[in-house]
Amino acid sequence: MVLGEPSDGGAGAGPSGPVRLGGGVLGVDACRAGWVGAFLGPEGRGAATVVVAPTVALLLQLGGAVPVVGVDIPIGLPDSGRREADVRTRRFLGGVKSSSVFTTPTRAALQEADYAVANACNRERAGMGLSRQAHALRESILEVDAWLRGGTGCRVVEVHPEASFAMMTGAALPTRKRTPEGQRERRAALAGHGIRAPSAAPRGAGLDDVLDACAAAWSAHRVRTGLARTFPDEPEVFADGIPAAIHV
């Protein structure tokens, strides 16, 4: 399901099937239906075209080839301890917004479908328990991990929308993203950088998911143009060989 210009109408409006938007960048966020993607053209500005699909790979099939994809999901899974990407991004956001960055589970813990077993495994390997929120993202994290290992044909980087919005505006946004005020503030931050988000969300996604995907696309464009900042400055590499850093 696709939404283009804000005038396209209500949730679920818009054509289905390929939209052929290759050449720009893609920002991706998890949603109820799987994944929501926001495509921006080569200039990284203008109306974002939003697509919902059950898998990340299908988003690319719908939108066409892009050089950079920014995904709001952990990439590069630790063998033990905490990732510097999470620690540094939490420090960058500061205050109450730092809690929006959860500590990435160890790879061994993510392999466990049962929460109690995963929690015990993470405590053994990382010296800390595993939040239910983090474990609930298990399938999404493993999907992206498998997708990366299978080859994507483009550069895929980890992003964090709250950090992206903080970089856009110079400070972490104080509002909650699911509130009308929070959505107005995030839409204004995007508009300040020339990005127009749809006024409605496709079926299977929330408007906060759409705005987060647009923020992810903004950071993906910064990666493409060499402007992005990373946390940490030099990505960590664990046993999986995948560089771990959050890009803003």
Side-chain angles (χ1 to χ4, degrees), residues 87-107:
V87 173
R88 302 290 181 90
T89 305
R90 193 175 291 120
R91 188 179 303 157
F92 169 70
L93 286 171
V96 296
K97 286 300 178 181
S98 65
S99 63
S100 68
V101 184
F102 68 83
T103 299
T104 302
T106 61
R107 179 174 291 278

Side-chain angles (χ1 to χ4, degrees), residues 28-120:
V28 179
D29 190 46
C31 65
R32 294 188 308 277
W35 302 92
V36 57
F39 287 90
L40 292 176
E43 300 303 317
R45 301 170 64 85
T49 298
V50 176
V51 180
V52 169
T55 67
V56 179
L58 184 55
L59 286 178
L60 281 178
Q61 291 179 29
L62 289 170
V66 295
V68 181
V69 177
V71 184
D72 179 20
I73 207 74
I75 292 175
L77 305 179
D79 310 300
S80 61
R82 304 185 184 192
R83 300 191 319 164
E84 280 298 306
D86 304 329
V87 173
R88 302 290 181 90
T89 305
R90 193 175 291 120
R91 188 179 303 157
F92 169 70
L93 286 171
V96 296
K97 286 300 178 181
S98 65
S99 63
S100 68
V101 184
F102 68 83
T103 299
T104 302
T106 61
R107 179 174 291 278
L110 285 168
Q111 299 296 333
E112 302 292 346
D114 181 83
Y115 171 71
V117 176
N119 189 42

Side-chain angles (χ1 to χ4, degrees), residues 77-227:
L77 305 179
D79 310 300
S80 61
R82 304 185 184 192
R83 300 191 319 164
E84 280 298 306
D86 304 329
V87 173
R88 302 290 181 90
T89 305
R90 193 175 291 120
R91 188 179 303 157
F92 169 70
L93 286 171
V96 296
K97 286 300 178 181
S98 65
S99 63
S100 68
V101 184
F102 68 83
T103 299
T104 302
T106 61
R107 179 174 291 278
L110 285 168
Q111 299 296 333
E112 302 292 346
D114 181 83
Y115 171 71
V117 176
N119 189 42
C121 178
N122 206 70
R123 191 173 297 280
E124 176 184 351
R125 292 177 177 260
M128 60 185 299
L130 176 64
S131 72
R132 288 191 178 274
Q133 177 192 17
H135 190 252
L137 290 173
R138 170 181 175 271
E139 291 186 4
S140 297
I141 295 172
L142 293 178
E143 177 193 332
V144 171
D145 181 69
W147 178 56
L148 284 169
R149 289 166 172 264
T152 64
C154 59
R155 184 179 180 188
V156 181
V157 298
E158 181 180 349
V159 301
H160 190 286
E162 287 299 312
S164 297
F165 283 121
M167 185 65 75
M168 285 182 208
T169 61
L173 300 182
T175 52
R176 296 184 178 181
K177 66 179 185 177
R178 291 187 175 89
T179 66
E181 181 184 5
Q183 291 169 3
R184 285 193 297 271
E185 190 171 37
R186 284 157 178 76
R187 187 180 295 280
L190 291 165
H193 289 268
I195 298 171
R196 300 194 305 278
S199 59
R203 189 175 298 112
L207 190 54
D208 59 304
D209 302 321
V210 169
L211 296 173
D212 279 354
C214 289
W218 179 80
S219 288
H221 180 71
R222 283 169 58 83
V223 170
R224 183 186 183 189
T225 55
L227 296 175

